[in-house]
């Protein structure tokens, strides 16, 4: 007879702590505009604010790594959850700016946190990465094979920006956010739906790769902003409706909407289409810029630490980005 301990499936998982980390240097629009002008790249605070709502972003100092920033966010989430690193048996990192080709940056974070055992891997879904990671971690916790996970979004997008391309370099910033997710018979993750459409990969990509020791293709982020804008507004509305229905909630029962923080115009259009009052949406794009996979957990942690998001609140987390990928997770905090 098999005496091995059996995995006991659980009903779901819940978030027991949130955290975040930012590089030291906050760069306001005026400072960035002046730096870009020295390169002959012309933009203005007025254009950036009017078209995007961004007022500042954080930019990493040389030597800072995606793993280092992610580990800081993870420590802040562990502290908020009042649990120790050695109780973590799963690390899922969402990032498009991995420190190395391999091993995964999740493994580097595991080592930095001094965690031994369990599983660690990266999820690559660009700006939808955190939402993808949360859904994947929830599915693993439900099996009973893992008990407590760190789900992290950590990005150093400043490293893949073309600082001579004003259509992209003013939009993005660096940062990391994290949650501790625990297996629970009182599920906090109520519903999730993930989507991808690879036929639209070209409208937002960093297409370069390393081949025989050389960079082949374009190593910088490129985006057809208008094409992405149109898709983002459509899929965020559709995805919100789909997941609210799956979770048995109406828009009026939703306490907080946290869409991927790319552009204030996308956020307000999404809230308007859903009939959700703008005051029930968390907005951090003004202070962080677009931090890709870090944007949703950064905004979640900001909302929690400001006292806006509280235990028992329903929160809809939404990602959309390169792939194209999009998806939503409905959470009861
Ligand atoms: O994170 C993944 C998801 N990403 C997104 O959701 C991003 C979605 N897209 C957007 O947020 C917007 O499309 C952008 C912010 C990227 C651009 O805003 P837009 O209103 O679509 O501007 P546009 O591309 O239509 O450009 C308008 C004008 C152009 O000049 P002309 O052709 O009208 O003379 C651009 O050359 O603005 C010019 N422009 C700028 N001017 C000053 C573009 N970038 C800049 C700039 N400063 N930084």
């Amino acid at each position: 007879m098999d005496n091995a301990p059996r995995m006991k499936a659980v009903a779901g998982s819940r978030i027991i702590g949130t955290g975040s980390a930012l590089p030291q240097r906050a760069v306001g629009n005026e400072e960035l505009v002046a730096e870009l002008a020295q390169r002959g790249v012309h933009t203005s605070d007025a254009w950036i604010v009017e078209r995007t709502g961004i007022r500042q972003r954080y930019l990493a100092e040389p030597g800072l790594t995606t793993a280092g920033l992610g580990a800081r966010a993870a420590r802040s989430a562990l502290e908020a959850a009042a649990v120790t690193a050695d109780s973590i048996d799963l690390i899922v990192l969402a990032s498009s700016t991995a420190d190395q080709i391999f091993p995964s940056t999740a493994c580097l974070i595991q080592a930095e946190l001094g965690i031994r055992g369990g599983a660690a891997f990266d999820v690559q879904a660009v700006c939808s990465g955190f939402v993808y990671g949360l859904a994947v971690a929830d599915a693993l916790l439900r099996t009973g094979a893992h008990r407590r996970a760190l789900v992290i979004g950590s990005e150093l997008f400043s490293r893949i920006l073309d600082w001579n391309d004003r259509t992209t370099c003013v939009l993005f910033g660096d940062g990391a956010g994290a949650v501790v997710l625990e297996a629970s018979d009182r599920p906090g993750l109520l519903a999730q739906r993930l989507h991808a459409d690879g036929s639209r990969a070209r409208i937002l990509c960093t297409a370069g790769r390393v081949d025989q020791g050389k960079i082949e293709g374009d190593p910088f982020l490129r985006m057809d902003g208008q094409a992405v804008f149109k898709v983002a507004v459509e899929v965020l509305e559709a995805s919100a409706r789909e997941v609210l229905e799956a979770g048995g909630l109406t828009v009026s029962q939703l306490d907080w909407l946290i869409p991927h923080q790319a552009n204030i115009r996308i956020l307000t259009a999404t809230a308007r289409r859903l009939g959700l009052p703008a005051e029930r949406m968390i907005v951090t794009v003004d202070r962080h810029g677009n931090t890709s996979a870090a944007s949703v957990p950064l905004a979640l942690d900001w909302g929690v630490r400001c006292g806006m998001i509280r235990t028992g609140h329903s929160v809809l987390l939404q990602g959309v980005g390169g792939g194209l990928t999009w998806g939503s997770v409905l959470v009861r905090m």
Side-chain angles (χ1 to χ4, degrees), residues 42-44 47-48 51-52 127 166-167 170-172 204 223 225-226 228-229 232 260 262-263 265-266 290 292 320-322:
H42 299 291
T43 181
S44 66
W47 190 95
I48 301 169
R51 301 289 180 127
T52 73
C127 303
R166 69 176 185 172
T167 68
V170 302
L171 306 175
F172 294 89
L204 175 50
M223 176 168 69
Q226 286 193 1
V228 177
F229 191 108
H260 168 51
N263 185 322
R265 293 187 290 136
I266 296 175
N290 182 345
S292 191
V320 57

Side-chain angles (χ1 to χ4, degrees), residues 225-240:
Q226 286 193 1
V228 177
F229 191 108
K230 273 189 213 135
V231 180
V233 172
E234 275 165 29
V235 301
L236 287 174
E237 181 196 358
S239 165

Side-chain angles (χ1 to χ4, degrees), residues 2 18 71 139 207 209 211 218 286 292 320:
D2 177 11
T18 69
R209 65 185 185 283
D211 188 348
D218 187 347
D286 52 338
S292 191
V320 57

Side-chain angles (χ1 to χ4, degrees), residues 19 68 70-81 83 85 109 112-114 150 178:
R72 270 177 52 205
R75 281 194 197 95
S76 129
L78 289 167
E79 200 180 315
V83 298
I109 291 177
E112 189 141 342
L113 294 175
L150 272 168

